[in-house]
Amino acid sequence: MKELQGAWYVTSFEVEGNEMAPPGEARVIVKKNRFESLGMGAVYEGTVKVDATKKPMTLDMTFTAGPEKGNVNYGIFEVNGDTWRFCLNPHGKARPKKFATKPGSGNAL
């Protein structure tokens, strides 16, 4: 969790195999085990739990406020310097196995 602390700006965004332009000021802010997502059309808040012993490392994002309140997104992630890359299944289904999306997967990268 130490490496995830701070503000992360969204510089690329892909959903179900479609590259999308990231919103201008979109970012995810992590403080301790809490996250806040801003600039993605609504404010999303919740808790994040990571398991750095897994390969790839895993994260579970539990939404406590915003349109996704009550939902859990399962994902994988990696941190390389000042880049945090993660792939999520926003529908609360199976955790992605690799950093990729395809039509019908429901995954976001």
Side-chain angles (χ1 to χ4, degrees):
M1 283 296 296
K2 181 181 173 185
E3 290 181 318
L4 298 183
Q5 301 301 301
W8 299 88
Y9 286 86
V10 179
T11 59
S12 66
F13 189 52
E14 181 180 311
V15 177
E16 293 195 357
N18 296 308
E19 288 189 37
M20 307 174 88
E25 291 295 315
R27 62 199 176 282
V28 178
I29 300 168
V30 179
K31 292 181 185 174
K32 296 186 181 180
N33 74 328
R34 307 254 337 137
F35 75 88
E36 183 177 26
S37 175
L38 305 168
M40 297 291 285
V43 175
Y44 300 89
E45 296 178 8
T47 60
V48 61
K49 178 182 170 187
V50 303
D51 186 343
T53 65
K54 305 274 184 173
K55 298 293 180 200
M57 294 180 282
T58 64
L59 83 156
D60 299 345
M61 299 177 87
T62 302
F63 292 83
T64 59
E68 294 296 317
K69 183 179 179 178
N71 291 333
V72 179
N73 287 187
Y74 301 104
I76 57 175
F77 77 99
E78 64 184 8
V79 177
N80 186 6
D82 64 353
T83 301
W84 175 23
R85 181 168 77 145
F86 58 93
C87 188
L88 297 172
N89 186 300
H91 303 292
K93 296 183 180 176
R95 186 181 312 278
K97 294 185 182 356
K98 55 186 175 179
F99 294 97
T101 70
K102 64 181 181 180
S105 68
N107 291 347
L109 175 66

